Amino acid sequence: MPKPVVAIPADIREIEGNVWQATPNQYVRAAVKGAGVIPLLVPALEAGHDFDEILDRVDGVLVSGSRTNVHPSNYGLEATEADGPFDPARDATSLPLITRALERGIPLLAICRGLQELNVALGGTLANEIQEIPGNWDHRKPDTADLDVAYGIRQDVIVKEGTCLASVVGAGTVRVNSLHRQAISATAPRLAVEAVAEDGTVEAVSVIGSKAFAVGVQWHPEYWVGSDEPSNNLFKAFGEAVRDYAASKQPSTKRQASG
Ligand SMILES: N[C@@H](CCC(=O)NCCCC(=O)O)C(=O)O
């Protein structure tokens, strides 16, 4: 069976005075090393994508983090400057891609902004500047140029017993990193909360009744793939789900031949 392909929706970034389609290399590296798949960046377009044409060609969707925020108009709120920075092309690509992948039973792993997009795509809402909520921690990216420090593992989350995530990383306390100012406010009806921080922040979800692996995490497992066991286990489980999906698309004769 050919190596499966995973779609990664890109961001619009301005680099050296030009506009780029971009995603941080850590997601590509984790897809290759952690999930054993071929990553395929999907350009962020405000219009023009045929999402079934894209999804016909892939076996999974990996939705990355980004410092930009989902535009509040996607969850019924007016936007203020404080809600930015925005990336409307990413929103217009990622949100429908998530929705259609779930409808088609294509495995999905959503990380940080990706979890927030998963929640919005299924009808949930987001809260902004959550560190300003009394009793909340500061979940924001540490102010440092050293990425190993910025993505340093520094926070406990509690994974609930009997969840999809618990079957992958184990139930109970898991130490993770944290680089976000937003979080789930109203959880979408089709999402099950699978992990929370000790301040109550939703840290992981799964899609209730999904046809395939469909998990979102607020932290960044991609960064420590290769050295952190929960990160490795999460990407390994995603890779296995992607391979199962890819195999299910093979004609039965091919499936029998490959055993
Ligand atoms: N913008 C959202 C999502 C945060 C996120 O995905 N962070 C990863 C990128 C970190 C960075 O490069 O700044 C939020 O803030 O909640």
Side-chain angles (χ1 to χ4, degrees):
M1 186 176 78
K3 188 172 277 193
V5 176
V6 165
I8 304 177
D11 292 354
I12 293 290
R13 297 305 291 263
E14 290 198 15
I15 304 169
E16 296 167 353
N18 206 336
V19 178
W20 292 54
Q21 299 278 351
T23 198
N25 186 53
Q26 62 212 55
Y27 299 96
V28 172
R29 186 179 63 229
V32 173
K33 300 283 186 196
V37 300
I38 299 170
L40 186 70
L41 266 61
V42 176
L45 302 180
E46 292 204 49
H49 270 316
D50 180 323
F51 295 100
D52 277 319
E53 288 281 355
I54 296 168
L55 293 171
D56 285 347
R57 289 161 172 79
V58 302
D59 308 295
V61 177
L62 174 61
V63 193
S64 74
S66 172
R67 69 185 59 189
T68 63
N69 294 330
V70 180
H71 196 282
S73 60
N74 290 293
Y75 47 98
L77 297 183
E78 291 293 317
T80 68
E81 273 306 301
D83 295 318
F86 299 121
D87 184 347
R90 161 76 188 251
D91 292 343
T93 300
S94 199
L95 293 169
L97 191 71
I98 289 168
T99 302
R100 190 68 186 122
L102 292 174
E103 288 167 352
R104 293 182 52 163
I106 295 173
L108 177 95
L109 176 57
I111 293 173
C112 207
R113 191 196 209 264
L115 167 138
Q116 297 166 3
E117 289 168 313
L118 175 59
N119 187 54
V120 168
L122 294 181
T125 63
L126 304 178
N128 197 10
E129 305 305 346
I130 59 168
Q131 67 281 351
E132 294 172 3
I133 300 171
N136 264 18
W137 296 350
D138 190 344
H139 293 255
R140 289 176 296 183
K141 177 183 180 181
D143 184 12
T144 172
D146 183 336
L147 282 182
D148 285 356
V149 174
Y151 284 86
I153 289 177
R154 60 191 178 98
Q155 171 193 312
D156 286 343
V157 300
I158 300 98
V159 177
K160 297 182 179 179
E161 292 275 355
T163 59
C164 175
L165 190 62
S167 70
V168 173
V169 300
T173 301
V174 176
R175 283 194 70 76
V176 300
N177 48 22
S178 185
L179 299 92
H180 61 106
R181 349 183 326 242
Q182 296 201 321
I184 288 178
S185 177
T187 304
R190 277 193 63 201
L191 290 183
V193 174
E194 298 219 337
V196 292
E198 286 167 354
D199 64 3
T201 299
V202 174
E203 291 282 350
V205 296
S206 66
V207 177
I208 298 165
S210 64
K211 301 170 190 168
F213 181 97
V215 170
V217 292
Q218 188 62 78
W219 67 89
H220 287 268
E222 82 289 350
Y223 191 83
W224 294 108
V225 160
S227 60
D228 172 65
E229 190 178 358
S231 302
N232 293 340
N233 291 348
L234 192 51
F235 269 86
K236 182 170 179 287
F238 176 56
E240 286 166 2
V242 166
R243 270 181 289 284
D244 288 348
Y245 177 77
S248 73
K249 294 194 306 186
Q250 296 291 317
S252 56
T253 48
K254 271 196 177 181
R255 278 205 298 257
Q256 283 157 7
S258 62

